[in-house]
Amino acid sequence: MMRMEVYGLVKEEITLRQFILLMILFIIGTSILLSPASLAASADNDAWISALVAMGAGLVIIVLFWIISQQFPERNLVDISELVLGKWLGKAVSLLFSYFALISAASVLWTVGNFLVTQIIVRTPALVIHFLVMFAVVYGIQLGIETICRTAEIFFPYIVTLLSIIYLFSIPSVEIKQIQPLLDSSFKQISEGAAFDISVSVLPLIVLLMVFPKYVSEKKRMLPKILLGYVCAYFFIVAITFITTTVLGVRVTANQSYPTYVIAKSLNIEGLIQRAEVIIAVSWILTIFFKLSMYFYASVTVLAQTIGLTSYRSITIPMGLITIALSLIIYPSTIYANDWNETTWLWFSLTFGFVYPLLLSVIGRLRGKSISSNNS
Amino acid sequence: MSRFFRSKRQNPQENSTTIKLYPSLQQNITHFKQTVGESTDIVIRTFKAGQTGSMDIAVLYTSGLVNNELVHDFILDTLMSEIRKTPLDAPAHKSKRYKTKHIEENGNKAYQLIKDYAMTGGNVTDIDTMEKLFLHVLSGDTVVMLDGSIQAMAIDTRGWESRGVEEPSTQSVVRGPKEGFTETLRTNTALLRRRIKDPNLWIRSKPIGSKSKTDVAVVYLHGVADEKVVKEVYHRLNKINIDAILDSGYVEELIQDETYTPFPTVYNSERPDTIAAGILEGRIAIVVDGSPFVLLVPALFVQFFQSAEDYFQRADFSTLIRLIRYMAFFLALLTPSVYIALTTYHQEMIPTSFLVSLSAQREGVPFPAFVEALLMEITFEILREAGVRLPKAVGSAISIVGALVLGQAAVEAGIVSSAMVIVVSLTAISSFVSPSFNFAISIRMLRFGFMSLAATLGLFGILFGLIILTLHLASLRSFGVPYLSPMAPFIGADQKDAILRFPRWKLTTRPRLINQSNMDREDAKAPKPEKRKRLNQRKEQE
Amino acid sequence: MWLILLMVILVWSGIGLKGLRKKGSVKDMATYIILWAIGTTGLMLYRFGISIPTPLDGIAYIYHPLSSLWKQWFA
Amino acid sequence: MMERRWFFLIAASVCLMLLSGCWSKRELNEIAITTAIGIDRVDDKYKLTIQVINPSEVSSKQMTTRTAVSTYTAVGDSMFETIRRLTTLTPRQAYMSHIRNIVFSEEMAAEGIGKVLDFLSRDHEMRTDFYLTVAKDMEAEDLLKVLTPLERIPAQKTYSSINTSEENWSAVQSIQISDVISTMISKGNNAVLTGLRVVGNPEEGSKLTNVEKVDSPAQIRVDELAVFKRDRLVGWLNEEESKGYNYILGNVKSTAEYAPCKNPEQGGITLELFNATNKMKADVKGEHPKVSVSIDVKAAIADVECALDLSKPAEVAKIEKQFEKIFVELMQSSIDAAQEDLQSDIFGFGDLIHRQEKHYWKSIEKEWDTIFPEIEVTLDAKVQIKRTGTTIDSFEKELEE
């Protein structure tokens, strides 16, 4: 308890509802725009089935996160690794984790910049966009996780409404025959697509363990609600995959960098709703803002707590500068980015999003007694 | 209560000037005259009274602040004629036979006599220091001083020329009470008391301002308002250390949670019904003497979109109107910036035929859309400001100049496109929809920021602006209550009176974050007309 | 643009540092300055076109055996 | 918190920084709104023609002596290069987001449009809602020069007439880029594009006199479909075949069909179709796969010139039978054209087989182009006359008597 006071965070508290909204935004963050393409590329006609498989597999990972959070309530990831792995090893792993979150933040920042620069404001230097987005993120993080959550609560209805508009009005142009025959692709193809999808939307959820369950005010009956939130979030991805492949065709979807954006471009409901691609761009940037914020928050808090600073707020500004610098050099080109995402990212996120918590949980259970004696 | 009156920090200078009244009337008067610099508006009437006519009495009041009739009829008349027969022992301090002690004894006896039997005024206060003497005289009381007494009595004779209760100039309604607060504190508290005749309506006041000594009253419903917030209000008021308070705006600025924000975190209103409704919800009103604007805390974002009239009209209609206000808020904030963004960055979003006509209008306009918009917006702001300051008679001239000369002629001269004129007018009209004037000001300030963001990054500039704005709003608190509640944090029960307005019988709870304990209001029932059959039965019974 | 950007960064970090000095923790200040130096150096290197290898190369190298195995499996 | 106090200062300076460069900005009077692109082939090079709006002419209320659109033409090695080269001609940068039509010349289409489609789907300024068309018997450049009455922007005119005739006549089909790409990529399907042609004297079309006359000397007409195999034009479907094509694919929304009376001298009978649905089935037993197509048409009688007693159900049934035959013939003509002359599976029969018999499809996927002309197609039509219009019997019958 002392520690919480030292960190000056004792007042911060978020509701379960806010946390779930944050989780949903995190899951659909980058995926809503990028997933359909990679899913269609690997699983062809069965892209949406692949997404469903990813949803099922992701459920297991969510439960793993849940288990570890319940094993050590009132503690965040840094506390847990120090407890379980010992002080120095724990600190080292935490630093690595901070690095993981920082790299992820930089790559998400690059993704925003890249999207805007290729699709919308073509001649604007990427640096300016990165700087502006990061400015907003740093400002938000300085104001605290509570503020971020409230902002998410404000924006959430808009994001859902905007996405629903795209979904609903795409339905008339859905042609089921585009994805027939069903289950045409092999199991390999489907699982490959699912693996990529999980690595983007589910595994990184580990960073949310920095706020969960420590700052969540309600502690009862959390799991069903969280799982429901997760399923809802994944439903968005499955639905958009289904819609893009049936409306655009599988090959076209796979060949587009941003298939969802193309869907929005071709939307035309009797002149009432047309030229609505900015809608999807806006809601996407909003979701990705929260994803970026959470990555950045995790990176900063983990670092600050590991080296024992009085407040994480004191290093947000320099960390923001580092993120900007990193985002500018992280991917030399889009080709490099695609290649990296396809080959290494899966393993990178698997290490920190699956192996790491699994180890913590297992070792924590094995060392159960000594830890509880430490606790008291 | 005691905490409130115990000033936390006393001005050291004031401390040194705390002087007890002298027993000698002459000494007192001399001191008084010196201090007020023989100001001509202060009347010092000395006369002799009593059976023997040996008692020196002085009556002090500030002319203009007192009700002259009251002073004449009940004080001067009483003292000079009615107690003519009463034996008031002359202190006769001039005679050397008496010692000082005697003088005081006599004086105090006479003082008690007059106070108990002769003073027909209602509110009489004892005064024993010079400081209090000044305060009472200068705030409109009449002070009676007796020679030989170390006490003086202050009779409440306040009665200055003041504006009557009129229709408020802001926040006017079509349906609903048309009374507005005035500049007089007592009138204002009376207006509130008249609406809430509950013993739990507590009104406590205290002068604030070392020079102005302005009365500031805190009004709340005891048992309904959150005690913690009440304490916080007192605490913040006590912390105020300022020479003068000339309007409630001073208080607002000194007690708000966050100074560096364009948004008001303290609500103000000229309408007693609005303030009374706020008090009934558990909010705390701060009435400042000399200002018709009463403050209300805690203030939430949604409150600035609610008009008193919402509760006097039908619920469905009020909901619609509220939604329109929110729409107007976004229009006022974003129209020019969206126009700039669309026409300079996102032409693909404009339908072809409209784009063609827009671009035909812009042929020959020398400035970029941003400069064009800035030009028109600034012109409008100048016009608006001029319109507020100008004498009413000239006001119509301004609107002619604004509408005709600047609108029509600027288009014809090719300085701005006609679409821009539409945009600016729409913005201008929308910015007046908000029932709260100070909220409209913040929108107007932010608009320019959004315009420059739109000019550099298009819609994405606007989006980033909105993200930062929402972050900022989400971080604000008003007296500990999150500014954006009940939206964020989301409170389901409070949605009944936030963006929507549910029917009266649904509004049975008070806002959750405003008062933690006393949630339930009276349980109103939906009106249910009696069935004809039962009505007939009853008739038969009768 | 770069000049203004640099100014904004300087002002921004200056304000951050000022706030930090009030709280007065040496460790915080030191971390702040070190991280700030890293960030600014990175930005400046980028500005002057000095290419810095992306940290992803290292990560890719570590995971290379795994990812090539994965590729073979799906090939 | 220190941050907030200084926040506005920083925000203001960020704004200032941003204002120093408005990078992607385009003022409305700096862009040339392009409504159509014509693509011709000249000696291994692209000849690009853009049709640009003159905004003040289009939106002005008075008649002017200047045309509502202008065209610019340039020749270059690739699409993008040519578009940039156009800036040497135009005073403003061509703005592509409002394109309504892309017109290929026949020559260009025959050489393959794949490379052009790549550019069109890659470029960020391109949207996806324009129609792809082929100019029949003429250069795309000349077609774009034809001025049109009623709708002052020719490209808009073409766009609307494709829409209207698709709704009401159903001979043509509006084709957008995503349709073309997905059919082109698929092995069991081939694309068609809308055909455009100029009726009258194309020379006159580019002059302002074309819109000054009541009867314009040159008019753009949309009634045929250009048939592609992979990305190359292989031929045309005439109006009837196009209609048959749309019947087979169930694209018909509404149209009119005419059949002569028993006594052809009397005239004929016309149906107004208001609902036509199709059903396709593949059967892979036997040497060659078989495809059966049946359509279900609901119609109303629009126009009767024959002596018929429409109050008798038997008579109506006869009419239905007669039309069923006509529909089958229409579709057959289309199938014949595709199978014999063009040898291009524009109906997506290959995809149909893929959907229904995916294993079988894998075995024949590679030879599909040679199999398609051989497959047996059985056609069937069912007509239901639901209404007889506002009258029951024809005046003609009364007149006869």
Side-chain angles (χ1 to χ4, degrees):
Chain A
M1 286 312 282
M2 268 305 287
R3 172 157 249 169
M4 279 169 75
E5 277 160 9
V6 168
Y7 274 85
L9 302 172
V10 77
K11 270 164 79 184
E12 291 204 306
E13 201 175 62
I14 60 178
T15 63
L16 183 61
R17 185 193 135 85
Q18 286 174 334
F19 174 75
I20 290 171
L21 294 189
L22 205 61
M23 185 185 76
I24 293 175
L25 292 176
F26 193 95
I27 292 173
I28 61 179
T30 44
S31 322
I32 199 87
L33 205 57
L34 304 175
S35 277
S38 65
L39 284 169
S42 44
D44 282 344
N45 285 353
D46 301 315
W48 66 282
I49 295 176
S50 186
L52 269 180
V53 171
M55 174 158 110
L59 217 56
V60 178
I61 294 164
I62 297 282
V63 172
L64 172 70
F65 292 160
W66 165 258
I67 288 171
I68 188 166
S69 75
Q70 290 309 296
Q71 217 169 328
F72 308 94
E74 297 300 318
R75 282 171 191 285
N76 63 25
L77 213 51
V78 181
D79 299 328
I80 298 173
S81 25
E82 273 188 45
L83 262 180
V84 173
L85 302 173
K87 195 177 175 195
W88 293 109
L89 186 60
K91 273 189 193 298
V93 173
S94 290
L95 284 181
L96 279 179
F97 184 76
S98 169
Y99 180 65
F100 161 74
L102 187 69
I103 292 276
S104 311
S107 78
V108 169
L109 186 55
W110 177 86
T111 315
V112 184
N114 189 51
F115 171 71
L116 287 178
V117 167
T118 45
Q119 290 286 357
I120 299 153
I121 29 184
V122 180
R123 292 187 185 171
T124 312
L127 173 73
V128 175
I129 295 168
H130 290 202
F131 189 86
L132 201 70
V133 176
M134 209 55 212
F135 183 74
V137 170
V138 169
Y139 179 62
I141 295 299
Q142 287 242 342
L143 293 174
I145 189 72
E146 219 180 14
T147 305
I148 295 270
C149 284
R150 282 197 212 131
T151 313
E153 222 168 358
I154 291 289
F155 279 126
F156 191 77
Y158 294 102
I159 295 170
V160 171
T161 320
L162 294 179
L163 288 180
S164 309
I165 287 175
I166 300 285
Y167 285 20
L168 282 178
F169 289 115
S170 301
I171 288 174
S173 19
V174 163
E175 286 181 57
I176 300 290
K177 65 177 188 188
Q178 296 268 25
I179 55 163
Q180 279 170 333
L182 273 183
L183 291 171
D184 193 24
S185 333
S186 64
F187 172 71
K188 258 187 191 178
Q189 284 175 301
I190 290 179
S191 56
E192 188 191 12
F196 286 140
D197 208 41
I198 289 176
S199 77
V200 175
S201 5
V202 185
L203 290 175
L205 277 173
I206 182 91
V207 296
L208 289 185
L209 283 180
M210 283 307 286
V211 289
F212 181 84
K214 202 166 155 184
Y215 299 134
V216 177
S217 56
E218 307 163 52
K219 306 274 184 197
K220 280 176 200 159
R221 291 180 50 77
M222 288 194 284
L223 187 62
K225 286 180 189 165
I226 287 175
L227 290 183
L228 186 71
Y230 168 78
V231 170
C232 289
Y234 234 98
F235 171 75
F236 276 103
I237 300 177
V238 175
I240 199 68
T241 314
F242 182 78
I243 286 170
T244 42
T245 45
T246 47
V247 173
L248 293 177
V250 177
R251 294 323 315 161
V252 177
T253 307
N255 200 30
Q256 289 288 342
S257 318
Y258 309 102
T260 313
Y261 191 68
V262 179
I263 284 277
K265 259 189 179 177
S266 45
L267 208 63
N268 186 353
I269 304 299
E270 302 297 330
L272 190 71
I273 293 185
Q274 56 176 334
R275 308 173 179 281
E277 65 264 29
V278 168
I279 287 180
I280 198 88
V282 162
S283 53
W284 184 70
I285 287 180
L286 279 174
T287 58
I288 212 164
F289 169 78
F290 291 103
K291 189 162 190 167
L292 179 54
S293 296
M294 287 325 293
Y295 273 135
F296 185 68
Y297 177 81
S299 172
V300 169
T301 45
V302 169
L303 183 65
Q305 203 180 335
T306 312
I307 53 180
L309 302 182
T310 48
S311 162
Y312 76 86
R313 288 188 171 87
S314 49
I315 55 166
T316 42
I317 296 171
M319 282 294 270
L321 290 181
I322 291 181
T323 314
I324 296 171
L326 205 54
S327 71
L328 291 170
I329 58 162
I330 190 162
Y331 296 126
S333 67
T334 42
I335 302 134
Y336 184 96
N338 287 338
D339 183 55
W340 200 82
N341 285 338
E342 274 166 28
T343 52
T344 320
W345 168 254
L346 175 65
W347 302 104
F348 193 40
S349 63
L350 201 67
T351 312
F352 287 99
F354 184 69
V355 179
Y356 174 51
L358 192 68
L359 278 181
L360 284 185
S361 179
V362 170
I363 300 178
R365 228 162 261 278
L366 290 178
R367 294 185 55 192
K369 270 188 185 164
S370 58
I371 286 171
S372 56
S373 63
N374 254 354
N375 245 351
S376 54
Chain B
M1 167 138 191
S2 56
R3 231 187 112 175
F4 181 42
F5 288 109
R6 199 173 353 118
S7 274
K8 253 199 154 178
R9 260 190 289 168
Q10 210 114 47
N11 201 327
Q13 206 191 335
E14 276 177 36
N15 254 344
S16 65
T17 53
T18 307
I19 302 167
K20 294 260 179 215
L21 289 181
Y22 304 110
S24 156
L25 182 65
Q26 204 50 50
Q27 226 173 333
N28 280 334
I29 288 171
T30 319
H31 186 261
F32 188 88
K33 271 188 176 168
Q34 272 173 4
T35 316
V36 297
E38 317 227 350
S39 297
T40 44
D41 60 333
I42 291 167
V43 178
I44 303 172
R45 173 83 166 92
T46 48
F47 52 89
K48 298 200 185 297
Q51 211 169 15
T52 52
S54 55
M55 172 60 87
D56 280 319
I57 293 183
V59 172
L60 292 80
Y61 61 93
T62 312
S63 122
L65 288 188
V66 296
N67 185 337
N68 279 340
E69 278 173 36
L70 268 181
V71 175
H72 286 165
D73 293 357
F74 296 108
I75 298 170
L76 291 178
D77 193 43
T78 317
L79 290 175
M80 288 165 89
S81 51
E82 300 215 346
I83 58 168
R84 184 107 263 179
K85 306 277 155 57
T86 317
L88 288 171
D89 286 338
H93 50 81
K94 289 154 208 156
S95 132
K96 281 173 186 163
R97 281 188 297 152
Y98 291 94
K99 288 189 177 155
T100 328
K101 205 178 164 192
H102 271 110
I103 298 168
E104 278 177 26
E105 245 169 45
N106 281 349
N108 286 347
K109 216 186 267 170
Y111 177 83
Q112 211 56 43
L113 203 69
I114 289 176
K115 189 184 169 191
D116 287 350
Y117 297 104
M119 213 23 73
T120 41
N123 190 352
V124 180
T125 328
D126 295 332
I127 297 171
D128 53 357
T129 61
M130 274 294 172
E131 197 188 322
K132 277 188 187 162
L133 175 68
F134 291 125
L135 181 63
H136 281 279
V137 173
L138 295 177
S139 48
D141 290 350
T142 302
V143 173
V144 177
M145 285 202 290
L146 276 71
D147 193 18
S149 166
I150 54 162
Q151 275 183 314
M153 65 189 93
I155 303 103
D156 186 357
T157 53
R158 294 179 195 200
W160 47 79
E161 289 306 314
S162 71
R163 205 162 57 90
V165 174
E166 287 169 13
E167 198 177 336
S169 57
T170 61
Q171 298 185 317
S172 45
V173 292
V174 176
R175 180 177 173 181
K178 312 237 161 162
E179 283 177 332
F181 286 120
T182 68
E183 280 77 5
T184 322
L185 177 80
R186 279 295 151 236
T187 317
N188 292 351
T189 52
L191 284 171
L192 289 175
R193 182 68 83 180
R194 239 183 59 206
R195 283 176 172 76
I196 309 170
K197 299 180 190 72
D198 190 279
N200 284 325
L201 183 78
W202 286 10
I203 303 175
R204 288 162 186 180
S205 56
K206 178 204 169 173
I208 296 181
S210 58
K211 293 276 176 280
S212 71
K213 308 263 180 358
T214 313
D215 279 320
V216 174
V218 175
V219 187
Y220 64 95
L221 211 52
H222 178 71
V224 172
D226 192 351
E227 276 307 313
K228 273 185 281 178
V229 182
V230 175
K231 266 186 191 163
E232 184 65 28
V233 170
Y234 283 152
H235 176 66
R236 290 191 193 177
L237 284 176
N238 278 334
K239 273 205 327 202
I240 294 177
N241 191 3
I242 193 175
D243 58 342
I245 294 211
L246 299 181
D247 184 81
S248 57
Y250 284 44
V251 178
E252 175 179 341
E253 212 170 330
L254 289 165
I255 64 168
Q256 63 192 351
D257 289 56
E258 190 59 60
T259 316
Y260 300 98
T261 168
F263 293 95
T265 50
V266 175
Y267 185 80
N268 68 62
S269 176
E270 239 184 318
R271 302 185 55 84
D273 50 341
T274 308
I275 299 293
I279 291 174
L280 286 169
E281 280 180 340
R283 292 179 217 268
I284 298 150
I286 300 166
V287 191
V288 176
D289 189 35
S291 168
F293 288 92
V294 173
L295 308 178
L296 197 65
V297 294
L300 304 182
F301 185 77
V302 287
Q303 222 176 325
F304 294 93
F305 291 92
Q306 299 170 352
S307 159
E309 198 168 0
D310 293 354
Y311 303 95
F312 310 144
Q313 297 280 12
R314 301 188 54 81
D316 40 10
F317 177 70
S318 306
T319 302
L320 179 73
I321 295 294
R322 275 192 190 171
L323 292 177
I324 285 174
R325 284 191 205 121
Y326 281 95
M327 219 168 75
F329 166 72
F330 284 109
L331 282 179
L333 189 65
L334 297 177
T335 318
S337 45
V338 167
Y339 177 79
I340 292 170
L342 287 187
T343 54
T344 52
Y345 288 90
H346 310 281
Q347 291 95 348
E348 72 274 7
M349 285 183 69
I350 309 172
T352 314
S353 49
F354 186 45
L355 179 72
V356 169
S357 81
L358 274 184
S359 111
Q361 285 171 25
R362 270 200 64 81
E363 296 284 338
V365 174
F367 307 113
F370 173 60
V371 176
E372 198 186 334
L374 206 63
L375 214 69
M376 287 306 283
E377 284 293 337
I378 291 175
T379 312
F380 164 72
E381 288 299 319
I382 292 171
L383 272 176
R384 194 199 56 79
E385 189 60 20
V388 174
R389 308 288 159 231
L390 271 172
K392 283 211 175 77
V394 203
S396 58
I398 279 291
S399 55
I400 292 168
V401 169
L404 289 182
V405 179
L406 287 171
Q408 195 73 24
V411 172
E412 271 168 26
I415 299 171
V416 292
S417 56
S418 46
M420 185 58 84
V421 177
I422 299 172
V423 166
V424 172
S425 340
L426 184 66
T427 316
I429 294 166
S430 306
S431 69
F432 291 117
V433 170
S434 170
S436 184
F437 182 71
N438 52 350
F439 202 75
I441 299 174
S442 59
I443 300 171
R444 289 215 301 272
M445 284 196 303
L446 291 169
R447 188 154 68 215
F448 290 96
F450 275 102
M451 275 159 63
S452 63
L453 276 170
T456 47
L457 287 168
L459 282 178
F460 291 88
I462 297 177
L463 179 63
F464 294 130
L466 281 178
I467 290 178
I468 288 178
L469 185 68
T470 314
L471 280 170
H472 175 74
L473 279 171
S475 76
L476 288 180
R477 281 169 182 273
S478 174
F479 285 78
V481 180
Y483 195 49
L484 286 184
S485 72
M487 300 301 140
F490 186 85
I491 299 165
D494 290 3
Q495 299 300 323
K496 289 186 286 196
D497 185 20
I499 290 178
L500 310 174
R501 208 279 270 173
F502 276 39
R504 174 72 47 204
W505 60 88
K506 294 272 185 195
L507 304 175
T508 52
T509 51
R510 302 195 165 96
R512 175 124 56 100
L513 283 173
I514 305 294
N515 50 322
Q516 310 278 347
S517 50
N518 197 337
M519 283 282 295
D520 288 328
R521 288 181 165 197
E522 268 58 55
D523 186 18
K525 288 275 188 315
K528 225 185 223 165
E530 278 189 285
K531 292 258 162 62
R532 178 168 290 259
K533 206 172 163 192
R534 242 188 291 156
L535 217 70
N536 289 343
Q537 275 176 359
R538 194 190 287 173
K539 262 183 198 161
E540 277 166 27
Q541 278 170 12
E542 280 167 7
Chain C
M1 182 191 91
W2 270 96
L3 213 64
I4 303 173
L5 190 73
L6 193 69
M7 266 163 55
V8 171
I9 290 174
L10 283 178
V11 170
W12 197 18
S13 9
I15 291 159
L17 203 61
K18 198 181 149 202
L20 214 56
R21 219 171 52 192
K22 273 187 197 154
K23 284 181 208 153
S25 160
V26 182
K27 206 182 201 175
D28 284 28
M29 289 256 284
T31 323
Y32 184 97
I33 291 166
I34 294 168
L35 290 175
W36 184 85
I38 297 173
T40 320
T41 320
L43 280 176
M44 286 304 111
L45 287 178
Y46 175 80
R47 159 73 183 92
F48 294 111
I50 301 162
S51 64
I52 319 156
T54 147
L56 299 189
D57 282 338
I59 298 167
Y61 180 77
I62 296 170
Y63 289 105
H64 183 70
L66 277 174
S67 41
S68 54
L69 212 72
W70 175 261
K71 261 190 182 165
Q72 270 172 19
W73 194 58
F74 280 112
Chain D
M1 193 182 288
M2 45 96 211
E3 190 52 34
R4 226 179 268 164
R5 184 179 330 167
W6 296 98
F7 176 69
F8 289 102
L9 182 83
I10 300 169
S13 48
V14 168
C15 285
L16 262 178
M17 176 191 88
L18 295 172
L19 273 179
S20 66
C22 310
W23 300 274
S24 316
K25 194 185 80 169
R26 286 171 302 221
E27 292 292 338
L28 282 183
N29 40 12
E30 289 165 5
I31 57 171
I33 304 165
T34 312
T35 51
I37 302 183
I39 304 162
D40 292 302
R41 195 76 169 156
V42 185
D43 318 325
D44 284 355
K45 287 194 171 189
Y46 295 99
K47 185 171 85 178
L48 219 66
T49 310
I50 57 170
Q51 190 185 70
V52 171
I53 295 181
N54 299 334
S56 40
E57 305 310 316
V58 175
S59 64
S60 76
K61 300 278 185 290
Q62 301 111 0
M63 272 305 281
T64 52
T65 52
R66 293 196 292 171
T67 54
V69 291
S70 314
T71 59
Y72 295 95
T73 306
V75 179
D77 289 315
S78 76
M79 281 288 289
F80 190 68
E81 190 212 324
T82 322
I83 285 182
R84 284 294 163 93
R85 180 164 289 172
L86 276 169
T87 50
T88 58
L89 288 170
T90 57
R92 299 171 181 184
Q93 194 199 341
Y95 181 67
M96 300 294 178
S97 288
H98 282 270
I99 285 179
R100 309 271 74 180
N101 293 309
I102 303 272
V103 186
F104 296 102
S105 72
E106 238 176 311
E107 194 188 347
M108 176 74 222
E111 278 195 39
I113 58 170
K115 286 168 193 145
V116 178
L117 291 182
D118 181 78
F119 165 78
L120 294 178
S121 64
R122 195 177 291 278
D123 191 75
H124 76 97
E125 225 176 62
M126 291 289 176
R127 300 174 50 84
T128 54
D129 57 354
F130 50 81
Y131 291 160
L132 293 170
T133 55
V134 178
K136 197 181 182 190
D137 299 330
M138 68 189 302
E139 295 265 284
E141 183 188 351
D142 297 330
L143 191 125
L144 289 191
K145 282 181 182 161
V146 176
L147 290 176
T148 50
L150 206 61
E151 186 74 69
R152 293 179 117 178
I153 306 161
Q156 184 67 41
K157 185 262 161 195
T158 320
Y159 188 83
S160 323
S161 24
I162 292 175
N163 280 343
T164 343
S165 78
E166 187 184 7
E167 293 281 332
N168 299 312
W169 182 238
S170 298
V172 289
Q173 182 61 14
S174 62
I175 309 286
Q176 295 187 354
I177 186 161
S178 58
D179 306 329
V180 178
I181 292 178
S182 56
T183 47
M184 232 169 231
I185 293 170
S186 163
K187 288 209 170 64
N189 204 346
N190 276 320
V192 294
L193 257 58
T194 318
L196 299 182
R197 60 196 173 109
V198 171
V199 191
N201 182 4
E203 297 286 309
E204 289 291 312
S206 62
K207 291 177 191 154
L208 204 53
T209 49
N210 196 38
V211 290
E212 280 172 354
K213 288 188 181 161
V214 174
D215 176 23
S216 298
Q219 284 176 337
I220 300 176
R221 191 159 166 183
V222 279
D223 57 358
E224 297 193 353
L225 288 176
V227 176
F228 281 67
K229 192 168 183 179
R230 299 277 81 83
D231 69 332
R232 283 161 208 274
L233 178 78
V234 287
W236 293 83
L237 294 183
N238 64 24
E239 195 175 350
E240 280 191 1
E241 291 159 351
S242 302
K243 240 180 175 176
Y245 167 83
N246 280 329
Y247 276 122
I248 293 172
L249 289 185
N251 289 336
V252 175
K253 284 169 193 147
S254 173
T255 183
E257 286 297 344
Y258 173 83
C261 303
K262 253 181 263 167
N263 177 6
E265 277 169 26
Q266 278 178 327
I269 181 161
T270 313
L271 288 193
E272 181 195 355
L273 274 67
F274 51 83
N275 189 357
T277 51
N278 73 327
K279 257 191 206 128
M280 281 198 201
K281 247 190 190 158
D283 178 13
V284 298
K285 283 166 217 142
E287 193 190 353
H288 286 301
K290 284 176 196 158
V291 173
S292 64
V293 179
S294 63
I295 59 167
D296 190 352
V297 177
K298 294 195 173 62
I301 291 172
D303 185 354
V304 183
E305 292 163 350
C306 319
L308 283 173
D309 187 3
L310 287 177
S311 53
K312 284 182 190 150
E315 287 283 325
V316 177
K318 263 188 202 162
I319 300 172
E320 286 173 354
K321 279 273 150 358
Q322 193 185 1
F323 271 100
E324 278 164 13
K325 232 173 98 191
I326 288 173
F327 285 130
V328 170
E329 276 165 16
L330 264 178
M331 292 191 285
Q332 190 61 51
S333 71
S334 175
I335 298 237
D336 288 346
Q339 279 189 321
E340 286 159 23
D341 307 341
L342 310 166
Q343 305 204 336
S344 167
D345 179 10
I346 47 177
F347 309 105
F349 289 153
D351 275 353
L352 179 74
I353 295 167
H354 183 192
R355 279 200 295 279
Q356 287 186 355
E357 310 282 339
K358 57 185 177 188
H359 301 294
Y360 176 76
W361 172 251
K362 292 236 162 84
S363 65
I364 59 157
E365 198 179 348
K366 299 220 167 67
E367 301 105 73
W368 177 246
D369 280 348
T370 53
I371 294 173
F372 171 71
E374 307 295 321
I375 62 167
E376 193 181 313
V377 182
T378 40
L379 299 167
D380 183 29
K382 192 165 179 297
V383 178
Q384 281 173 285
I385 293 174
K386 291 277 182 186
R387 291 195 284 271
T388 55
T390 48
T391 49
I392 301 168
D393 262 351
S394 170
F395 300 115
E396 292 286 326
K397 205 173 86 180
E398 309 284 328
L399 287 174
E400 294 286 311
E401 288 160 6

